[in-house]
Amino acid sequence: MNLINQYIDYVRTVRRYSDRTVAIYESVLNDFSISCGVSSDKELTQALNTSDLRQYQVRLIDERKMSSKTVNLHFSVLSSFCRYLMGQDIIRSNPVALISRPKIAKRLPEFYKNDSLEELTLLPEGLSDDFKAEISYAAESIARKVSSSIAEMT
């Protein structure tokens, strides 16, 4: 399809995206067009509606078991493509902006118990007394900084 090829040329030459990014963009746009069963530019612009986009999102999540990050990547590419089409006066609005995207799970912080922290502070045998003193001083300095940071947060 001509619109996808024009957009890929645009992101490659004007936006100067990396080859890897261009390949991802091309893959996502081709995947969307195949998924929606479009074979022409006119059909592609007609498929860029909230109904088809929601169906595509469901297919990505439920049938293809893609992660939230990957689904968000697909919709980011589609949104960028729609903004390009708006700039070319081919479509009037960005339908991707109306689609809610899946939430990305955040990693939880790791907490250490006092026992495990004490194990970390044990020094191996055979170190010089000066070196042990230096390590102890550095550890205490770090502990003070962490404590003051925690105190500032509360």
Side-chain angles (χ1 to χ4, degrees):
M1 282 169 274
N2 199 24
L3 285 177
I4 291 176
N5 292 334
Q6 287 175 1
Y7 178 65
I8 294 302
D9 286 341
Y10 167 77
V11 296
R12 180 181 290 119
T13 57
V14 177
R15 302 290 300 198
R16 298 178 53 95
Y17 287 175
S18 72
D19 291 339
R20 183 175 185 276
T21 302
V22 170
I24 291 170
Y25 272 48
E26 190 170 17
S27 172
V28 167
L29 293 171
N30 287 331
D31 181 61
F32 176 74
S33 62
I34 290 168
S35 181
C36 292
V38 298
S39 58
S40 69
D41 288 340
K42 184 176 182 177
E43 290 176 353
L44 178 62
T45 56
Q46 289 172 347
L48 290 169
N49 61 61
T50 55
S51 176
D52 286 341
L53 288 166
R54 282 194 183 106
Q55 287 176 3
Y56 180 63
Q57 186 178 43
V58 168
R59 259 183 255 130
L60 293 178
I61 295 170
D62 292 342
E63 294 173 15
R64 295 171 67 184
K65 307 289 186 217
M66 289 187 173
S67 70
S68 297
K69 282 186 178 183
T70 306
V71 173
N72 284 336
L73 170 76
H74 278 244
F75 276 79
S76 177
V77 171
L78 289 169
S79 182
S80 179
F81 180 59
C82 287
R83 284 194 307 273
Y84 170 78
L85 294 177
M86 288 170 53
Q88 301 294 315
D89 290 329
I90 296 171
I91 61 175
R92 281 187 251 154
S93 64
N94 184 352
V96 181
L98 302 174
I99 305 294
S100 61
R101 298 182 189 185
K103 300 290 181 204
I104 297 174
K106 294 182 180 175
R107 289 179 31 198
L108 295 175
E110 293 182 35
F111 293 98
Y112 294 97
K113 295 182 179 179
N114 286 338
D115 298 341
S116 62
L117 288 176
E118 287 175 9
E119 288 177 21
L120 292 174
T121 60
L122 295 177
L123 297 174
E125 297 295 320
L127 298 176
S128 71
D129 289 338
D130 290 340
F131 189 67
K132 286 180 182 178
E134 201 171 314
I135 289 175
S136 295
Y137 176 76
E140 289 174 14
S141 175
I142 291 170
R144 272 188 258 122
K145 288 179 183 178
V146 169
S147 295
S148 66
S149 295
I150 291 171
E152 289 175 4
M153 293 170 61
T154 57

